[in-house]
Amino acid sequence: MPKIRVVQIAMKGGPFEVVQRDMPQPGQGEVRIKVQACGVCHSDSIAKDGLFPGIPYPIVPGHEIAGVIDAVGTGVIGWTPGTRVGVGWFGGHCGRCEPCRRGDLVDCRNLRVPGLNYDGGYAEAMIAPADALARIPDDLSAAEAGPLLCAGVTTFHALRESGARPSDLVAIYGIGGLGHLGVQFAVKMGFRTVAIARGADKEPLARQLGAHIYLDSAAQDVAAELTKLGGAKTILATVTSGKAMSAMIPGLAVRGRLVVVGVGMDPIEVFPIDLIGASRTVTGHIVGAPIDSEDTLAFSALTGVRPTIETMPLERAAKAYDKMMRGEARFRMVLTTGL
Ligand SMILES: [Zn+2]
Ligand SMILES: [Zn+2]
């Protein structure tokens, strides 16, 4: 039986261990992916620290998976060995719950996530259900595709679903793992793009990513500045502070939307009149279905949007994870297998 290397977590709170396992075999409706790259995401801490109930330890984390199909299980139609594919947070839907039956796959009440519900991409090979696959265009490397399957689809799909139209004022709040992609997507979608971050030192980066306007939240009343510019049709909030997001709401245009994608632990607070007075909306957004991931990859290949990444070999997963958790990744860490 051929062996593969995987990086597993044996128990809640346990270390990353590089171990050998038997080559997994795809079951009905599944494919085996030869993993070339897997992004390291803050959400991997859910597996590391056991933040969700029922994680099947030992677990291989990783949900920003890019590689090539190398085996196909029974009953799989339309996916063949040799096809370049990726899997993101969406790792399979049930097809039975109400959102599924209404075609809203990403809101499946029984959504499966690779690296949480089954073994993910910190590995040389993994098994994924065929309904979770997105095709990767030829001119996108596996290492670039990885983060686009999580941070990328989150920001791309949130922006295109936000109701903003080309030439509208759109603000991206935060320029980190999510925001550095959000700024690029907003510019390429034809929005008048405002980047918002703390400190004057972030401005050159924001400009380099294509932002038309930069606002420094440490030095300026950002909501007032947005209002002077006519108000933002969409503010994509990628930061992790509910309090900081709250302060942005008065900067929304009439019928503007605060779209929340950053996971914070404190509440968003809003004066009812700030919503009522201009018919504003505060809404959440979660990644996208595999076809949305595929659109994200195709749009990125077409327009030149790329994540800024630092790669490390698979066996250095612990180091890559620690660097990401310390907030020192510029901007996404990606593990590569050399395959
Ligand atoms: Zn992620
Ligand atoms: Zn479902």
Side-chain angles (χ1 to χ4, degrees), residues 88 134-135 148-149 153 160 288-298:
R135 284 180 181 80
L148 290 172
L149 290 155
V153 61
R160 71 172 179 176
I291 192 65
D292 302 312
S293 295
E294 200 165 297
D295 291 346
T296 304
L297 297 171

Side-chain angles (χ1 to χ4, degrees), residues 39-44 63-64 89 149-151 287 332:
V40 177
C41 180
H42 195 275
S43 305
D44 296 341
H63 60 263
E64 301 186 356
W89 182 260
L149 290 155
C150 184
V287 290
R332 303 292 283 196

